[in-house]
Amino acid sequence: MEKSVKISNFATQFLGTMKKFTIALLGGACLFASCNEYNKVLKSADYEYKYEAAKACFVKGEYSRAATLFGDLLAIMKGTVKAEESLYMLAMSEYCAGDYETASTYFKKYYQSYPKGQYVEHARFYAGRSLFENTTDARLDQSNTLLAMEEFQNFLDYYPNTVLKAQTQEMIFALQDKLVQKEYNAAKLYYDLGAYVGNCTFGGSNYEACIVTAENALRDYPYASASRREEFGIMILRAKYHLAVQSVEDKKMDRYREAIDEYYGFVNEYPESKYLAEARRMLVSAEKVVKNSK
């Protein structure tokens, strides 16, 4: 039910932004009040009839059927004005049906085939939007996240003053947050492994890997939220402290001093952090060890 409402609202918005196209779609809807004769339409050699039926299916929210019909029409209508519209509507039908990977492919094909087409701005936007909808959990591969960001950035490069700018930027930030979350998960995994050496085939330690991963994330994603940067910060401090604790004697003092330096950097950046008490305990412990070594 929720998906139907979402798609219905989208279809309403979509039709409302394209007045000329809306008239054509609604005309199709009047000619074909239902898609009950879908199989007959599918087998028909009357391509004008099939074209109007495809539009009628789209208007009625029968997006999978619309996609099938528009797909059949592409080769037949190649070189005609309706070929451009059919390709765009095929992409939009796949998007509304929830097949975002296929939708992105067709939107991209549209703007590559019709760089000055009637719907090229929306095609570029929805090429990115489709990839955005198809991104996976931050724990999984983020290839589509990177591709979506690229599509959105290209869209803004082509249309810097688009009315879709704010919406596009909001999605870019959401995609960046997902990449940051993936890096946080990786750093946290190294931290949680701690002193375990079974995965350290080539030397080093999990705490060192945690520090490097977290510091790289802070550098690579400067627009990460303040709360996320704080989480990275305390994780780096914890990792440096525990790395010092487990270090061999000839490295111990230097690493304790690094942890002390990290403490002051952390409290300067986050003077009201909820982790101040924990950070202070690590500082006191580290300073005690350094003092007793003299």
Side-chain angles (χ1 to χ4, degrees):
M1 178 65 71
E2 182 178 350
K3 184 176 181 181
S4 299
V5 171
K6 178 181 177 182
I7 290 176
S8 176
N9 289 340
F10 165 77
T12 301
Q13 180 184 14
F14 170 63
L15 296 176
T17 60
M18 306 165 84
K19 294 181 180 179
K20 181 178 179 180
F21 189 49
T22 302
I23 294 173
L25 284 175
L26 294 178
C30 292
L31 290 173
F32 299 91
S34 73
C35 287
N36 293 330
E37 299 182 4
Y38 173 71
N39 288 331
K40 179 181 176 181
V41 174
L42 194 61
K43 296 175 183 177
S44 175
D46 184 342
Y47 295 107
E48 286 295 328
Y49 173 78
K50 184 176 287 191
Y51 175 71
E52 295 300 330
K55 292 191 293 182
C57 287
F58 183 87
V59 171
K60 288 179 64 64
E62 297 174 345
Y63 302 117
S64 294
R65 288 183 172 185
T68 299
L69 294 175
F70 281 122
D72 287 348
L73 292 166
L74 285 184
I76 301 301
M77 293 190 165
K78 186 176 181 179
T80 70
V81 174
K82 291 179 179 177
E84 175 188 343
E85 191 168 89
S86 293
L87 177 55
Y88 181 74
M89 287 308 301
L90 170 58
M92 192 58 75
S93 297
E94 296 287 11
Y95 177 88
C96 291
D99 188 348
Y100 300 120
E101 183 175 356
T102 302
S104 180
T105 299
Y106 282 128
F107 280 124
K108 189 171 183 178
K109 182 177 180 181
Y110 176 90
Y111 72 66
Q112 290 175 337
S113 301
Y114 305 100
K116 296 183 179 179
Q118 182 178 357
Y119 313 114
V120 66
E121 180 177 345
H122 280 80
R124 284 191 173 277
F125 173 79
Y126 277 103
R129 179 69 183 263
S130 299
L131 290 167
F132 175 86
E133 298 290 355
N134 206 39
T135 54
T136 56
D137 184 273
R139 293 169 294 182
L140 304 176
D141 178 70
Q142 294 301 303
S143 297
N144 275 356
T145 299
L146 295 171
L147 290 173
M149 291 175 67
E150 182 179 0
E151 285 286 352
F152 280 141
Q153 191 56 60
N154 289 339
F155 170 69
L156 292 178
D157 288 344
Y158 275 94
Y159 305 100
N161 299 315
T162 177
V163 295
L164 298 168
K165 184 174 183 177
Q167 187 177 349
T168 302
Q169 289 176 328
E170 183 178 343
M171 285 188 283
I172 289 175
F173 293 147
L175 293 168
Q176 288 177 336
D177 286 344
K178 186 167 287 193
L179 294 177
V180 172
Q181 182 64 47
K182 185 173 181 64
E183 293 304 306
Y184 178 82
N185 291 344
K188 183 68 163 54
L189 176 60
Y190 283 126
Y191 179 80
D192 289 343
L193 286 170
Y196 174 68
V197 297
N199 66 315
C200 301
T201 308
F202 302 103
S205 78
N206 291 305
Y207 289 127
E208 287 177 303
C210 170
I211 294 164
V212 171
T213 302
E215 288 180 339
N216 285 344
L218 288 173
R219 184 188 65 247
D220 295 342
Y221 303 104
Y223 300 112
S225 67
S227 60
R228 178 57 75 199
R229 294 181 69 83
E230 182 182 352
E231 294 290 340
F232 275 119
I234 191 62
M235 190 187 301
I236 292 169
L237 175 56
R238 289 168 180 160
K240 287 190 174 183
Y241 173 77
H242 290 297
L243 179 62
V245 171
Q246 73 168 34
S247 292
V248 296
E249 289 302 321
D250 63 336
K251 294 182 178 180
K252 191 178 289 287
M253 289 306 106
D254 284 342
R255 286 177 170 171
Y256 270 119
R257 292 188 180 95
E258 288 179 12
I260 291 170
D261 289 342
E262 191 67 34
Y263 164 83
Y264 286 109
F266 178 79
V267 297
N268 283 338
E269 188 165 0
Y270 306 104
E272 298 181 0
S273 173
K274 61 183 178 181
Y275 300 112
L276 288 182
E278 178 189 356
R280 180 68 182 174
R281 286 193 296 271
M282 287 185 280
L283 171 69
V284 171
S285 177
E287 287 183 331
K288 182 177 180 180
V289 173
V290 172
K291 181 179 180 181
N292 289 340
S293 69
K294 296 180 180 178

